[in-house]
Amino acid sequence: MTAELVRGQNHPLSQGRLAIRISAGAPVLAGATLGDENGTVHGAQWVAHPGGPALPGVEVPRHAATRHRLAVDLGALPEAVHRVSVFLALPTEAGRPLRFGAVAAPHTTVEGPDGTELVCYTLTGLDSETAVLALELYRRQGAWKVRAVGQGYAAGLTALLADQGLREAADVAAAAHAATAPGDAAAHGPSRALSTPASAPSAHGTSARAPQDTSALPHDASASAARVTPTAGPYDTQASGGTAPRGPGTPVDYTHPGRRPHDTPPPVAPAADGRPAQPVAGDAVGWSMEERLYNQVWGMFEDLARTTAAYRSAVDFADSRLEKELDQALTDPRGRLGTAGDAAREAAHTRRIQLVDQARAVLDRDLGQLTAESEVVEPALPPAYACWDNPVWHGYRVPAEPPMALRLGDLHLPESVPLRIPLLVRLPLERGLWLDSGPAAAPGGFPDSTELRHLAMEAAVALVARLLAVHPPGDFAVRIIDPAGTGAAAFAPLTRTGVLVSPPATGAAGVTEMLERLTRRVDLVQMAVRGGAPESLPADVDTARQLLIVNDFPHGFDERAVTRLRYLADEGPDVGVHLLLVADREDAAAYGPLLDPLWRSLMRLTPVPDDHFADPWVGHAWTYEPSLVPAGSQVVHQVLTEVARAMTKRS
């Protein structure tokens, strides 16, 4: 499973031969420095860049491109090398982006020799920087690790190299930029280091074979024939990795290389009339149809994030260009009087409109392809992934195995309405869930707080019904804490069908007893696992995964009960105890910062649309909508009745 890092986070490396793939929103040059135990680079011979791409154990691309592959053999590095730092820099020629903040965030991936993704990191938050230190491979106590760095330098590559102690920083930076001068890269194919095995001298004088480019897809990548290639923006990034001079409005390729290897053609050719090939459900990597659909949905999620980033970047560029041209018109004395100034301003506004219209046309094209794919994928989704109005629920049967993921709702962006992407999370849940029933869940202002709480309860029941429906009978148990009994009507579908393992706990005594029971279960399972004897649990311990629904928290909770709830939130998921809180955070304000760790440990969901989710690639604010049952539908009652029947047969 790929480890997705955030800035400053590290991850152990179990393999010595690595490939580092880079995807950027505009052509960049890529290189690497070799440092000692203090990170100091002792000379130009310790820097691999386009002008000198090969060092012992390291080889980098020779050209600026939007996609790169760097080869690293940790075992072939000189003994004095303790750190390999991978850097990116924007070319300095005219017409290139002036800063990383004007293009989509670069994405890096570390792969093993067989193409398996080990680590990935998206360099978000860049602004005025023109060079950035992306990743760092470092040796500590004989073991290698990778760290996500993301340190940018507004003064460019010279400042980056000087910061690592390189005295010849200016000369090396100039040589690197000179090697990527216009006219060179366009004559070459994709920017790949070692597309065929190459030999480099090792520290001991032997030849170290570099890994071959297997171009393997990651587990969440889609090889869809209808995969879009989101392109919009002011800079040219050819699919081949070339950097030919651009014309006004030439598109930028924001496609992430994990969706399809850059040196691999689409698996299905377009139709004879030039139209894109028709999308196919499950057209992604995976061992099963369920896994392929999961990967395809996440691929659509990523495509939508990146094509929207391209559009927004193009609009920002058009706005900045307009501002620059208007400033130039004002500073030119000849344009201040007469009609010349008015004509210049009108021309500037016209160019801005043309750029934005062109970017919007490309975005609409990509949205059309994604919408067509969504229309094919949605009907093919299994119950765990399907919305409640999907016909798959009419033929529902209790499963024999739990699913790999669950649909929590839908996500969309302002530019993509009405296209919605299912929010799928892997099972078992690694975090508890919190359905926010407070006014913060309705930023536009919700007229009736009682109605908002009612909607939160409806969303909670729909989510619980889905969890019960997608697990085999007896594998998932649901318990409820409802201290004041205010949720009795909302919980009726669960209580009437008999899918609960015990009646809802009410009153302070009921809260205490339920929390004691689950805390004991967590303690016993932890001790059994640590002792290597998980089968030695007492007979009265329910080994099924447990979901505890807590309504109207913190009503009915004393300080001891709150402490136990926090313990369940922290320790429960690892041993099969999960939380679902339906609560308004303001109701717990009296506890002050004591409950801050609890809220942070839970995934916040809302009963009404709210833009509090961010994607891991670009960082857009996505609007979340819960997966609710259509008004008047009996599908939940029918599904829960089938679940209860299966539970009765099993017992």
Side-chain angles (χ1 to χ4, degrees), residues 338-362:
T339 60
D342 293 338
R345 286 188 289 272
E346 183 178 354
H349 282 285
T350 300
R351 282 191 290 271
R352 191 263 179 195
I353 293 173
Q354 290 174 345
L355 286 174
V356 173
D357 288 347
Q358 182 183 15
R360 184 70 215 193
V362 175

Side-chain angles (χ1 to χ4, degrees), residues 28-30 48-53 60-65 68 91-93 96 157 171-188 191 243:
V28 297
L29 64 88
H49 59 82
V60 304
R62 296 177 181 269
H63 311 288
H68 290 293
T92 55
E93 302 92 42
R96 300 293 190 186
L157 185 56
D171 294 339
V172 174
H177 284 296
T180 60
D184 292 341
H188 296 268
S191 175
T243 57

Side-chain angles (χ1 to χ4, degrees), residues 91-442:
T92 55
E93 302 92 42
R96 300 293 190 186
L98 301 178
R99 57 191 181 90
F100 273 108
V103 297
H107 183 86
T108 60
T109 301
V110 180
E111 299 177 352
D114 59 351
T116 303
E117 274 197 9
L118 307 176
V119 166
C120 66
Y121 168 49
T122 302
L123 287 76
T124 58
L126 299 178
D127 187 11
S128 61
E129 298 87 347
T130 59
V132 61
L133 195 61
L135 295 174
E136 181 180 80
L137 313 180
Y138 64 98
R139 179 166 53 190
R140 182 162 297 170
Q141 297 178 348
W144 284 91
K145 295 184 178 181
V146 57
R147 176 185 290 119
V149 181
Q151 176 64 52
Y153 294 82
L157 185 56
T158 300
L160 184 152
L161 296 175
D163 197 35
Q164 297 188 16
L166 180 62
R167 295 181 179 179
E168 307 95 325
D171 294 339
V172 174
H177 284 296
T180 60
D184 292 341
H188 296 268
S191 175
R192 292 169 47 195
L194 302 182
S195 59
T196 57
S199 299
S202 71
H204 307 289
T206 59
S207 177
R209 299 290 289 181
Q212 296 188 30
D213 182 6
T214 58
S215 300
L217 288 172
H219 75 92
D220 63 343
S222 170
S224 171
R227 187 81 286 129
V228 301
T229 53
T231 55
Y235 302 107
D236 182 17
T237 56
Q238 300 173 8
S240 66
T243 57
R246 57 168 291 276
T250 307
V252 174
D253 185 356
Y254 277 80
T255 308
H256 187 284
R259 302 309 312 280
R260 186 176 69 237
H262 62 268
D263 52 344
T264 302
V268 178
D273 58 3
R275 294 177 300 173
Q278 293 301 309
V280 178
D283 193 3
V285 297
W287 292 103
S288 64
M289 187 62 172
E290 179 187 21
E291 185 178 4
R292 292 196 294 272
L293 286 168
Y294 172 83
N295 291 337
Q296 188 171 12
V297 168
W298 270 85
M300 295 163 58
F301 187 11
E302 181 177 359
D303 275 349
L304 182 54
R306 293 187 180 279
T307 191
T308 305
Y311 170 72
R312 293 180 179 179
S313 177
V315 173
D316 290 343
F317 170 78
D319 290 340
S320 63
R321 178 173 173 172
L322 172 63
E323 182 178 355
K324 182 179 179 180
E325 292 181 348
L326 291 178
D327 288 342
Q328 290 175 345
L330 289 174
T331 56
D332 187 356
R334 295 170 298 178
R336 295 177 185 172
L337 301 175
T339 60
D342 293 338
R345 286 188 289 272
E346 183 178 354
H349 282 285
T350 300
R351 282 191 290 271
R352 191 263 179 195
I353 293 173
Q354 290 174 345
L355 286 174
V356 173
D357 288 347
Q358 182 183 15
R360 184 70 215 193
V362 175
L363 175 65
D364 290 342
R365 181 203 65 194
D366 294 343
L367 290 179
Q369 293 184 33
L370 284 170
T371 300
E373 188 171 9
S374 176
E375 291 172 351
V376 171
V377 170
E378 273 286 358
L381 295 177
Y385 303 172
C387 53
W388 284 109
D389 58 359
N390 192 309
V392 72
W393 288 107
H394 297 303
Y396 169 77
R397 293 293 181 270
V398 176
E401 295 180 356
M404 66 177 294
L406 187 83
R407 185 174 189 157
L408 294 183
D410 296 324
L411 298 173
H412 67 85
L413 293 170
E415 295 89 346
S416 69
V417 176
L419 176 62
R420 283 164 169 74
I421 304 296
L423 174 58
L424 303 182
V425 297
R426 296 296 291 264
L427 292 180
L429 295 171
E430 297 180 356
R431 302 170 60 190
L433 303 175
W434 164 34
L435 261 163
D436 189 353
S437 61

Side-chain angles (χ1 to χ4, degrees), residues 10-27:
N10 60 47
H11 188 80
L13 294 172
S14 58
Q15 303 182 54
R17 296 170 59 186
L18 306 168
I20 300 175
R21 293 191 182 273
I22 295 166
S23 170

Side-chain angles (χ1 to χ4, degrees), residues 459-532:
V461 170
L463 182 57
V464 173
R466 183 185 295 271
L467 280 165
L468 283 168
V470 301
H471 283 84
D475 279 14
F476 200 84
V478 177
R479 302 177 187 273
I480 295 176
I481 288 180
D482 189 17
T486 57
F491 290 134
L494 303 175
T495 55
R496 284 201 303 261
T497 54
V499 294
L500 300 178
V501 294
S502 61
T506 57
V511 171
T512 301
E513 191 277 332
M514 183 68 75
L515 293 176
E516 283 182 351
R517 176 192 296 271
L518 292 177
T519 301
R520 175 175 176 267
R521 182 194 184 280
V522 171
D523 291 339
L524 290 174
V525 173
Q526 284 183 338
M527 288 188 292
V529 171
R530 291 168 183 168

